[in-house]
Amino acid sequence: MTEPVKVALLGCGTVGSEVTRILLDDPTELAARVGAPVEIAGIAVRRPDKHPELPQHLVTSDATALIDSDVDIIVELIGGIDPVRGWLLSALRKGKSVVTGNKALLSEHASELAEAADESGADLYYEAAVAGAIPLLRPLRESLAGDRITRVMGIVNGTTNFILSAMDSTGAGYAETLDEATRLGYAEADPTADVDGYDAASKAAILASLSFHSRVTAADVHREGIAGISSSDITAARSLGRTVKLLSICERVTEADGSESVSARVHPVMMPKSHQLAGVGGAFNAVYVEAEAAGQLMFYGQGAGGAPTASAVLGDLVSAARNKVAGGRGPRESAHAALPVRPMGQTPTRYHVSLDVADEPGVLAQVAQVFATHGVSISTVRQRDRRNTASLVVVTHQAPDAALRSTVDEIGELDVVREVVSVMRVEGEAE
Ligand SMILES: NC(=O)c1ccc[n+]([C@@H]2O[C@H](COP(=O)([O-])OP(=O)(O)OC[C@H]3O[C@@H](n4cnc5c(N)ncnc54)[C@H](O)[C@@H]3O)[C@@H](O)[C@H]2O)c1
Ligand SMILES: N[C@@H](CCO)C(=O)O
Ligand code: NA
């Protein structure tokens, strides 16, 4: 009889409870897939008295003792950086494999965790950390390991996607829609990590690191959230056949001297309703990947929730357990390219600018002159007359983000500009 693979579960909340349920549900099927029984050695929780539903002989409040016992794999579903970081580093250094969904930890400390795993020959898997159930990190790390990824662009935060989709369909403002999302349980009581883009930025750091074989941390990712999106932004987008999405965008950028860098950013964009990502509604996630040989790929599904996220955790656990049974480790990640991160100001972007201007001779020329002064080329201009005012909508070609930013600031200062109605970056359409 093959020795069982012993697993320590840390945390039994939304995701941990679903992982436990699935593990306890059909151990025979799991053993057949792994090639050995998968045995839960213990479940560490903060308050054992709060978990009468769990087999009591497995429950402990002493996570460190459980990690230090003779377990083979640690499944961490507590979240946050401390004390988890120290626990996982020590486990990896002792050769115990780690499966986690902890994007906060991975987006800051992937480097030291991966080194510890490499030194001892343990596995470090974290498919659940980005886009929940969607198989995305394994395709980036393994299936596309022989290709050159040029771009990864996606909706990786369900809460903000739910809010933006609802604003688009109801015409309601941001604050009102956030309240509704909280009431329905889509937004957490403290929605900061989601609405200010921290969650999406952590995920962008992980995606950029794996896609470009480099180390990108959350601090390297330019981040803007959705709190500044108004119903006028949504109306402006809708009147042009576009919608507003919060995207995580990771790109390989070629510099003038031929060297390469990485751009990693999270911000709201206007995109055509015809784009595949524009049709992703509610709390769903979708990620669009471009690679030189593969071309365009699209990944879509549930990015959060107990059971969907548990699916990704279980997939990683089965892989780590199979590797243990085979006596080796799975494919490692590589960071050899060590590409630098390009600052946002130098990143090429496109802007949509919607203005209310005085309806008098020379106004268009004045506005156009500001774009020209900053070296920003205009792609389209549309003008619509109203009483004494004209509505002017300008979409630019690509220019460095800093040049676009200063253009918009200066335009807002012109006497003939009555109101800057909406300013947003444009993605997903031909130049
Ligand atoms: N919920 C999701 O949809 C989702 C999706 C993707 C990734 N994740 C990630 O999965 C992880 C877990 O998320 P969750 O939603 O299940 O969180 P949760 O808050 O529901 O569960 C965390 C659990 O850890 C326990 N815990 C806290 N400190 C502990 C300690 N010192 N020892 C033992 N247990 C402790 C808490 O009591 C709680 O039960 C996080 O890293 C999160 O980012 C969650
Ligand atoms: N808060 C995240 C959960 C998944 O990481 C979201 O809204 O998508
Ligand atoms: Na995933």
Side-chain angles (χ1 to χ4, degrees):
M1 176 72 181
T2 320
E3 285 281 295
V5 178
K6 292 187 185 161
V7 180
L9 299 179
L10 311 184
C12 199
T14 306
V15 183
S17 59
E18 285 298 314
V19 169
T20 308
R21 182 185 62 75
I22 298 168
L23 274 176
L24 293 172
D25 206 31
D26 196 351
T28 316
E29 171 73 21
L30 202 63
R33 292 186 193 181
V34 166
V38 177
E39 188 181 296
I40 303 182
I43 308 170
V45 298
R46 200 160 36 185
R47 294 276 308 272
D49 56 307
K50 299 269 182 196
H51 293 277
E53 79 288 2
L54 296 175
Q56 290 301 298
H57 68 285
L58 295 178
V59 178
T60 172
S61 59
D62 192 346
T64 45
L66 178 60
I67 295 167
D68 290 340
S69 67
D70 65 341
V71 293
D72 304 296
I73 301 173
I74 316 290
V75 176
E76 183 272 308
L77 295 163
I78 291 175
I81 301 208
D82 291 316
V84 168
R85 172 179 163 232
W87 292 348
L88 299 189
L89 274 173
S90 123
L92 287 166
R93 285 181 185 135
K94 289 177 190 148
K96 298 172 196 241
S97 293
V98 166
V99 172
T100 174
N102 193 332
K103 58 227 154 193
L105 179 68
L106 263 300
S107 65
E108 287 191 35
H109 299 286
S111 192
E112 60 177 351
L113 290 163
E115 267 169 34
D118 286 348
E119 276 162 27
S120 70
D123 287 318
L124 170 63
Y125 290 149
Y126 45 95
E127 181 63 69
V130 184
I134 307 174
L136 177 62
L137 303 190
R138 186 169 283 108
L140 292 177
R141 179 153 77 167
E142 296 178 29
S143 322
L144 292 166
D147 207 335
R148 253 172 70 86
I149 296 172
T150 49
R151 192 163 204 237
V152 178
M153 175 166 97
I155 295 165
V156 292
N157 183 267
T159 306
T160 47
N161 199 53
F162 176 85
I163 294 171
L164 292 173
S165 304
M167 284 175 75
D168 195 15
S169 60
T170 64
Y174 168 73
E176 198 184 325
T177 311
L178 171 58
D179 286 348
E180 180 70 357
T182 310
R183 201 180 58 75
L184 294 172
Y186 285 101
E188 294 192 29
D190 177 3
T192 315
D194 293 316
V195 300
D196 289 345
Y198 290 100
D199 176 79
S202 293
K203 292 165 177 170
I206 295 171
L207 291 174
S209 298
L210 291 178
S211 303
F212 307 125
H213 306 277
S214 297
R215 284 289 170 215
V216 178
T217 66
D220 295 322
V221 179
H222 174 85
R223 176 187 53 78
E224 293 170 35
I226 63 162
I229 303 293
S230 62
S231 48
S232 345
D233 290 319
I234 305 277
T235 309
R238 200 176 318 116
S239 69
L240 296 166
R242 297 181 175 121
T243 190
V244 177
K245 293 289 184 193
L246 183 74
L247 295 190
S248 292
I249 304 172
C250 310
E251 287 173 318
R252 189 189 283 277
V253 186
T254 306
E255 306 290 343
D257 65 1
S259 66
E260 289 188 328
S261 62
V262 170
S263 163
R265 56 194 203 266
V266 171
H267 53 71
V269 304
M270 252 186 207
M271 63 192 328
K273 286 220 159 160
S274 55
H275 194 281
Q276 297 98 313
L277 290 177
V280 176
F284 275 78
N285 281 190
V287 179
Y288 171 82
V289 177
E290 276 178 15
E292 279 184 1
Q296 301 171 347
L297 303 161
M298 180 85 173
F299 298 83
Y300 174 82
Q302 295 191 68
T309 309
S311 165
V313 173
L314 263 298
D316 281 350
L317 175 56
V318 168
S319 293
R322 282 174 173 162
N323 297 338
K324 175 80 194 154
V325 171
R329 69 181 301 211
R332 57 195 284 273
E333 60 189 67
S334 48
H336 62 277
L339 298 183
V341 177
R342 183 186 257 227
M344 184 63 186
Q346 293 167 26
T347 298
T349 59
R350 296 179 70 189
Y351 272 39
H352 157 281
V353 185
S354 171
L355 307 166
D356 276 352
V357 296
D359 195 3
E360 56 190 52
V363 172
L364 187 56
Q366 278 190 56
V367 170
Q369 184 57 45
V370 180
F371 281 93
T373 309
H374 290 276
V376 175
S377 170
I378 291 173
S379 167
T380 59
V381 182
R382 288 172 217 210
Q383 183 177 333
R384 216 166 359 132
D385 290 338
R386 301 214 195 105
R387 193 180 301 162
N388 302 323
T389 340
S391 144
L392 206 59
V393 176
V394 180
V395 177
T396 72
H397 283 298
Q398 274 197 342
D401 198 78
L404 287 158
R405 205 62 263 164
S406 347
T407 306
V408 169
D409 289 346
E410 207 171 301
I411 282 173
E413 299 292 307
L414 292 176
D415 286 341
V416 292
V417 173
R418 303 223 161 115
E419 193 191 345
V420 178
V421 178
S422 171
V423 176
M424 206 160 296
R425 297 187 183 88
V426 174
E427 280 293 339
E429 57 192 83
E431 274 268 323

